[in-house]
Amino acid sequence: MNAISSDIEAVFNSPVVAALRADLALALRAAAHHGLGEGVCNHFSVALPDRSDLFLLNPRGLMWGEIQAGDIVMIDATGRKLAGRHEVEPTAMFIHAAIHRIARKNCVLHTHMPYATALTLTEARGLDTTLSQNAMRYHGRIAIDDQYNGLALDGSEGERIANAMSGADVVFLGNHGVVVCGERIDYAYDDLYYLERACTAQVLASSTGSALRPVRAELAERVAQQLQGERLQSTLFFEALRRILNPD
């Protein structure tokens, strides 16, 4: 093993990165538990502390519900795998590497979860953040990318998605799915979970055929500030999932 690979191996197996690998694997198992996964597709990633050019990612070919810390891989900003025993799916490298590099997001969760994806198929392309209380937490935090261009099989499509975010935490990808970003894995997963809950409520309400009753934008903004001002609930939720879903 040469000096460079020894350094990478040391980073990959360090206590801080090992903890991140465990948390990323837990978020993936939680998403499977909540019905947010789709076969062996879609990916979660998190940047390494103080190493913004390196990040952790779930590998190709594994169901989210089976992923453990030892399955997580590490790649660089170009999408090149540096450590881990599994291979990486190409679209993951292009989308996640670009969002980490260009949008400067720390944790990036991409899914085709059903109700959020259903809203990307509508004329509005996304969630109305003036409807349910869950929806209001995303008021002012959402971008819409309505330019679907097929699979992200090269760097240009990932870069286009990253630029379309314009600093937003959440982006609805037209005819595709969603990306939810956060500074921490527990915060990002909490936002992912409640985003799908909000989208579910909107789709179900719309299916009744009755007119919807949004609140004033000013009220939605105030609720968003209230919810973002206190994130302990996000951590408590993630720790509860750890107790329920950890195999030991």
Side-chain angles (χ1 to χ4, degrees), residues 146-226:
D146 62 0
Q147 301 299 316
Y148 178 67
N149 285 325
L151 299 181
L153 297 178
D154 58 50
S156 63
E157 181 62 6
E159 291 172 1
R160 189 194 65 75
I161 291 172
N163 286 313
M165 296 181 69
S166 300
D169 299 321
V170 177
V171 58
F172 281 78
L173 308 173
N175 306 101
H176 183 176
V178 294
V179 175
V180 174
C181 301
E183 286 304 306
R184 295 168 35 161
I185 295 174
D186 54 353
Y187 290 6
Y189 187 78
D190 193 58
D191 279 346
L192 184 80
Y193 173 82
Y194 281 102
L195 182 68
E196 180 69 349
R197 298 286 292 184
C199 292
T200 302
Q202 182 172 326
V203 171
L204 291 175
S206 297
S207 73
T208 68
S210 297
L212 303 185
R213 291 287 299 273
V215 304
R216 293 175 292 106
E218 295 82 4
L219 177 56
E221 182 178 358
R222 179 158 63 87
V223 172
Q225 292 171 350
Q226 290 172 330

Side-chain angles (χ1 to χ4, degrees), residues 78-120:
T78 67
R80 181 171 59 104
K81 190 185 83 167
L82 301 176
R85 63 174 181 257
H86 301 291
E87 295 306 311
V88 177
E89 202 270 319
T91 62
M93 292 189 290
F94 293 127
I95 292 175
H96 286 255
I99 293 175
H100 283 290
R101 185 179 74 254
I102 296 171
R104 309 308 297 172
K105 300 299 185 181
N106 192 48
C107 183
V108 180
L109 313 182
H110 172 46
T111 79
H112 297 168
M113 53 193 190
Y115 287 93
T117 301
L119 291 181
T120 74

